[in-house]
Amino acid sequence: MARYTVRIEVWLREGLVDPEGRTVSDALSGMGFPVSSARAGRIYEISVDAPGAEEAMSVATDMCEALLANPVRDSYHVEVLG
């Protein structure tokens, strides 16, 4: 088995209200930064033991569907870093 680092990004689905992103955008605009919008998400970097990169990707996807992302409101992107 090899050890792979997977990077998982979890975002609210397009079209849903992102109150945290809106708060950040408003605060930065209020401080004088030229910001028109912001989105807030979560990033996880997880070490996975797997026989290959495809298996590491599959395990990471399973993690998203089981715990890390809410399928009703979130979308996610998985990348195997190495």
Side-chain angles (χ1 to χ4, degrees), residues 12 17-27 38-42:
L12 283 175
V17 175
D18 181 355
E20 187 177 356
R22 181 173 289 166
T23 299
V24 168
S25 178
D26 291 347
R39 293 180 67 204
R42 298 181 308 278

Side-chain angles (χ1 to χ4, degrees), residues 27-50:
L28 290 171
S29 292
M31 296 171 71
F33 292 102
V35 175
S36 60
S37 68
R39 293 180 67 204
R42 298 181 308 278
I43 297 175
Y44 302 94
E45 285 192 3
I46 301 173
S47 294
V48 175
D49 293 330

Side-chain angles (χ1 to χ4, degrees), residues 4-10 43-47 57 60 64 77-82:
Y4 294 89
T5 300
V6 294
R7 181 183 176 97
I8 300 168
E9 296 181 14
V10 180
I43 297 175
Y44 302 94
E45 285 192 3
I46 301 173
S47 294
M57 174 77 79
C64 290
H77 173 75
V78 177
E79 179 182 5
V80 178
L81 302 178

